[in-house]
Structure formats: structure tokens, C-alpha cells
Amino acid sequence: MSGNIELLNTTLAAAKAADRAALIAYLPAGFPTVDGGIEAVKAVVAGGADVVEVGLPHSDPVLDGPVIQTADDIALRGGVRIADVMRTVREAYEATGVPILVMTYWNPIDRYGVERFTAELAEAGGAGCILPDLPVQESALWREHADKHSLATVFVVAPSSQDARLATITAAGSGFVYAASLMGVTGTRASVGAQAQDLVGRTRATTDLPVCVGLGVSNAAQAAEVAGFADGVIVGSAFVKAMLDAPDEAAGLAAVRSLAGELAEGVRKR
């Protein structure tokens, strides 16, 4: 079975045709449980998310701040495995029909086997992977198998990336480019800042791929601000915090659905 890179491409193109940015939600698999994580994906899509990133929990997530680290720890203590991540992708995709990507560090894929991972992700209906710590110059094996299975390879660029480096990264990627709005780890911020707009402009000069901004967006006003210059707005920590702060799972699902609705309204007000 082929992966869903084309669904990702058409979804992002449809948002652009509607003169708005896409809303991309991040949620870790296995949090608060595997079943609860699947329900959370359904909830953010019901609220208005266009694309979902399912996080593969990791014991040393170098890009993720304390909120996502807490959720990852809960998932890992609950015994989450790659099979559970694949199940999350499969059931979330079957229930929603939206593009579902996996966001993961490289080590779990390397240990699992690139061919096995890409084949299973495609079979589950996945649209691709976001790989924040895989250097482009070491990505040939991954990209060969991702291309074979019609999966997007999304690389992360940062404000520190020089223009020549941006061109190298974007030439190797597919689906979209993940622009980290600031230096540091994930988490909600009071301001997303001008660095993100500059990075989007410099990245767009190197590629026709959509450029989506993550790290720091937590409310409708920030979503509207970022939607004014980016093709997609990526929100993770705010969703995870809403789940963590809720008194029970049902309240958590209601909270993430409500937040997705507010953010979806925000991206339409750019």
C-alpha cells in the first residue's frame, strides 16, 4: 500500500486556494493512553485541524520542551511501542481522512529498520515523517524508502540556518518545510517573534514547498499572526498542556477540540 503524501499535498494546496494557512496539530501517541491518544487526534480534527502530527515518544527528546516531555514520559511508562504509533496513525486516518504524519527522532527508526518502518507507516495510511534530528547529508537511505512508499520527508529549518544550508535542506525535503520559529525547545510563548517571518521568507526563496511554522503558537491571535506569513501553523505544546491540565480524559478531549476550533478560526483571520 502506498503512503498518503498526495493527500498531504492536496490538503495544503486546498488551504492555500482558500487564502488561509493550514492548521497542523501535534499530539504524542500513547498519551494519556493509546486509545486516549487516538481519541485526541479525532478531537483536534473535529475542532478544525487540517493535518495531524503524531509524536513517537522518546526518552531524550532534544527538540521538545517540558510539556511534551511530560506527555512522552506518561506514554513511555504506559508501555507505548512503535506498533502503537502505527495503530494510532491507522485508526486516526481511517476515522478522519486527514493527512497523518509521524514526528520522530532518528534513533527509533534506525533501530526498528528503515524499510520496515516506512512500509508499515505507508500501510497504516500515513502521509510521511518529520525528522528533526536527521541531517540531510545522512538521509539518503530514509528518502529512498520514503519515496518508494509515497511518504513525505519533512525537515526542520531554524533561524540559525544560513541561506545555502536552507537550499540544501529544502531540495531534499517533500510535503512541507517545518520552520522552527525560534531557537530552543518546543513550548508556548508569549510572542512568536519576527525571527519566524524572516525565516519563512528566506526559506521560500529556496523552494516551492509550503513553509509551516511551529514552536510557540498557543492561541488564536498568535495563529492569525503566523498565518499572515506562513503556509501552515503548527501547534503542539498548547494541545498537550490542555490534556495535562484537564481533570479527566473526557474533559481533556473537550479542551483540545475547543482549542483546535479557536486556532482554526485564527488561521482564517490572517
Side-chain angles (χ1 to χ4, degrees):
M1 179 175 170
S2 291
N4 269 316
I5 186 173
E6 277 308 311
L7 176 62
L8 176 64
N9 293 341
T10 56
T11 299
L12 294 174
K16 183 176 183 178
D19 194 32
R20 68 172 179 88
L23 175 60
I24 303 174
Y26 167 93
L27 290 162
F31 169 73
T33 61
V34 176
D35 288 341
I38 293 166
E39 292 305 313
V41 175
K42 295 178 188 176
V44 294
V45 174
D50 299 290
V51 178
V52 178
E53 301 173 10
V54 170
L56 194 161
H58 195 275
S59 57
D60 185 26
V62 293
L63 185 70
D64 297 314
V67 170
I68 291 174
Q69 285 186 28
T70 298
D72 278 5
D73 186 53
I74 290 168
L76 290 167
R77 283 191 281 114
V80 72
R81 296 288 182 266
I82 287 179
D84 300 309
V85 177
M86 297 299 178
R87 182 187 149 211
T88 300
V89 171
R90 176 182 291 103
E91 294 191 15
Y93 169 64
E94 288 175 352
T96 66
V98 304
I100 311 284
L101 299 104
V102 170
M103 185 164 184
T104 179
Y105 297 96
W106 179 246
N107 182 255
I109 295 177
D110 193 34
R111 290 176 61 186
Y112 197 72
V114 176
E115 168 58 22
R116 181 183 177 196
F117 189 95
T118 51
E120 290 183 7
L121 182 56
E123 192 274 330
C129 255
I130 299 157
L131 301 160
D133 67 339
L134 177 63
V136 170
Q137 62 271 24
E138 297 173 20
S139 68
L141 178 66
W142 164 266
R143 287 186 286 127
E144 174 192 338
H145 289 289
D147 289 348
K148 182 168 82 171
H149 292 290
S150 300
L151 297 168
T153 298
V154 179
F155 289 114
V156 178
V157 298
S160 59
S161 303
Q162 299 297 312
D163 291 352
R165 178 72 179 154
L166 288 176
T168 300
I169 293 170
T170 59
S174 56
F176 64 91
V177 182
Y178 187 126
S181 65
L182 37 80
M183 302 302 292
V185 297
T186 59
T188 61
R189 301 290 197 281
S191 171
V192 179
Q195 275 189 323
Q197 188 164 0
D198 174 69
L199 177 59
V200 169
R202 292 193 298 117
T203 304
R204 278 204 179 125
T206 71
T207 184
D208 291 328
L209 289 173
V211 182
C212 304
V213 170
L215 274 67
V217 177
S218 61
N219 57 49
Q222 290 175 333
E225 178 193 352
V226 173
F229 57 82
D231 299 298
V233 179
I234 303 168
V235 181
S237 294
F239 285 121
V240 176
K241 187 174 187 302
M243 296 278 287
L244 286 168
D245 289 348
D248 55 51
E249 189 174 306
L253 295 175
V256 294
R257 179 172 179 161
S258 175
L259 177 58
E262 294 169 22
L263 293 164
E265 205 172 298
V267 301
R268 286 163 172 79
K269 283 183 177 173
R270 66 185 194 177

